[in-house]
Amino acid sequence: STQSTWGYHWTQTLGDLEVRVPFPDPVKTKMLDVNLAETSLRIGLKGQTPVVQGDFWAAIKHEDSFWTIEDSRVLVLHLVKRNQMEWWRTVIKGDTEINLQKVQPENSKLEDLDADTRQTVEKMMHDQRQKALGLPTSDEQNKQDVLKKFMSMHPEMDFSKAKMC
């Protein structure tokens, strides 16, 4: 993976990235050599050494990603991540990485999440509400239900000294 020789700026959400590559002089589309692939990127002026080149941190959805030129001086890439539930440390492997602990995630809506993630988040929210009300979480309730069923199936046993773990 090649280190980029030119400065670029980028921002991300869980689903996509915007990469801005400024040029010192005005550029037109026909002057540029842009190769946008699923796992790699090359940007430069035709006939010159690329200014950004290397492998992406992770794969993109090539068919949903695109680039444009803004104000004749900035190439703007819109990259859609293949994995829509992952933060990237950098755009190009080998370039300076960000500290993911400092990422401020945007608020997301439950309907934006895939079914499994949504179910997990809803369970966590339910359990958090239950704890705040001093009620059992879903796991604790399941344990209590299993114990009650077992107790009803074995009335001959003494459960007076049983402790819930």
Side-chain angles (χ1 to χ4, degrees), residues 29 41 43 74 101-102 116 132 138:
T29 305
L41 173 67
I43 298 173
V74 181
Q101 301 297 320
K102 295 183 179 180
D116 290 341
S138 46

mmCIF file of all heavy atoms in Angstrom, residues 29 41 43 74 101-102 116 132 138:
data_model
loop_
_atom_site.group_PDB
_atom_site.id
_atom_site.type_symbol
_atom_site.label_atom_id
_atom_site.label_comp_id
_atom_site.label_asym_id
_atom_site.label_seq_id
_atom_site.Cartn_x
_atom_site.Cartn_y
_atom_site.Cartn_z
ATOM 1 N N THR A 29 -12.131 17.569 -15.885
ATOM 2 C CA THR A 29 -12.253 16.115 -15.836
ATOM 3 C C THR A 29 -11.269 15.429 -16.779
ATOM 4 O O THR A 29 -10.612 14.459 -16.404
ATOM 5 C CB THR A 29 -13.702 15.707 -16.219
ATOM 6 O OG1 THR A 29 -14.596 16.397 -15.358
ATOM 7 C CG2 THR A 29 -13.916 14.224 -16.065
ATOM 8 N N LEU A 41 -7.572 2.912 -4.927
ATOM 9 C CA LEU A 41 -7.832 4.232 -5.494
ATOM 10 C C LEU A 41 -6.539 4.792 -6.072
ATOM 11 O O LEU A 41 -5.463 4.614 -5.511
ATOM 12 C CB LEU A 41 -8.341 5.170 -4.378
ATOM 13 C CG LEU A 41 -8.519 6.642 -4.715
ATOM 14 C CD1 LEU A 41 -9.651 6.829 -5.720
ATOM 15 C CD2 LEU A 41 -8.805 7.439 -3.450
ATOM 16 N N ILE A 43 -5.518 8.642 -7.909
ATOM 17 C CA ILE A 43 -5.931 9.961 -8.380
ATOM 18 C C ILE A 43 -4.683 10.728 -8.774
ATOM 19 O O ILE A 43 -3.705 10.766 -8.023
ATOM 20 C CB ILE A 43 -6.663 10.760 -7.266
ATOM 21 C CG1 ILE A 43 -7.942 10.049 -6.846
ATOM 22 C CG2 ILE A 43 -6.964 12.179 -7.748
ATOM 23 C CD1 ILE A 43 -8.617 10.684 -5.643
ATOM 24 N N VAL A 74 -11.170 21.118 -6.582
ATOM 25 C CA VAL A 74 -11.275 20.056 -5.579
ATOM 26 C C VAL A 74 -11.987 18.843 -6.184
ATOM 27 O O VAL A 74 -13.116 18.962 -6.665
ATOM 28 C CB VAL A 74 -12.052 20.529 -4.323
ATOM 29 C CG1 VAL A 74 -12.122 19.416 -3.279
ATOM 30 C CG2 VAL A 74 -11.407 21.774 -3.725
ATOM 31 N N GLN A 101 -11.384 6.139 19.096
ATOM 32 C CA GLN A 101 -11.986 6.450 20.396
ATOM 33 C C GLN A 101 -12.561 7.866 20.406
ATOM 34 O O GLN A 101 -13.416 8.189 21.214
ATOM 35 C CB GLN A 101 -10.936 6.327 21.513
ATOM 36 C CG GLN A 101 -10.298 4.961 21.626
ATOM 37 C CD GLN A 101 -11.295 3.871 21.974
ATOM 38 O OE1 GLN A 101 -12.178 4.087 22.787
ATOM 39 N NE2 GLN A 101 -11.170 2.713 21.343
ATOM 40 N N LYS A 102 -12.067 8.732 19.518
ATOM 41 C CA LYS A 102 -12.507 10.121 19.492
ATOM 42 C C LYS A 102 -13.619 10.376 18.478
ATOM 43 O O LYS A 102 -14.075 11.494 18.324
ATOM 44 C CB LYS A 102 -11.317 11.039 19.198
ATOM 45 C CG LYS A 102 -10.281 11.020 20.313
ATOM 46 C CD LYS A 102 -9.151 11.970 20.042
ATOM 47 C CE LYS A 102 -8.157 11.937 21.201
ATOM 48 N NZ LYS A 102 -7.041 12.840 20.983
ATOM 49 N N ASP A 116 -30.689 -7.939 12.857
ATOM 50 C CA ASP A 116 -30.003 -8.496 14.031
ATOM 51 C C ASP A 116 -29.525 -7.384 14.968
ATOM 52 O O ASP A 116 -29.688 -7.470 16.185
ATOM 53 C CB ASP A 116 -28.805 -9.357 13.607
ATOM 54 C CG ASP A 116 -29.237 -10.655 12.941
ATOM 55 O OD1 ASP A 116 -30.409 -11.059 13.122
ATOM 56 O OD2 ASP A 116 -28.399 -11.257 12.244
ATOM 57 N N ALA A 132 -33.640 0.620 35.340
ATOM 58 C CA ALA A 132 -33.949 1.943 35.887
ATOM 59 C C ALA A 132 -35.209 1.891 36.755
ATOM 60 O O ALA A 132 -35.335 2.641 37.717
ATOM 61 C CB ALA A 132 -34.120 2.960 34.754
ATOM 62 N N SER A 138 -34.322 -8.800 30.715
ATOM 63 C CA SER A 138 -34.914 -9.927 29.987
ATOM 64 C C SER A 138 -34.204 -11.240 30.336
ATOM 65 O O SER A 138 -34.860 -12.275 30.483
ATOM 66 C CB SER A 138 -34.916 -9.677 28.478
ATOM 67 O OG SER A 138 -33.686 -9.195 28.041
#
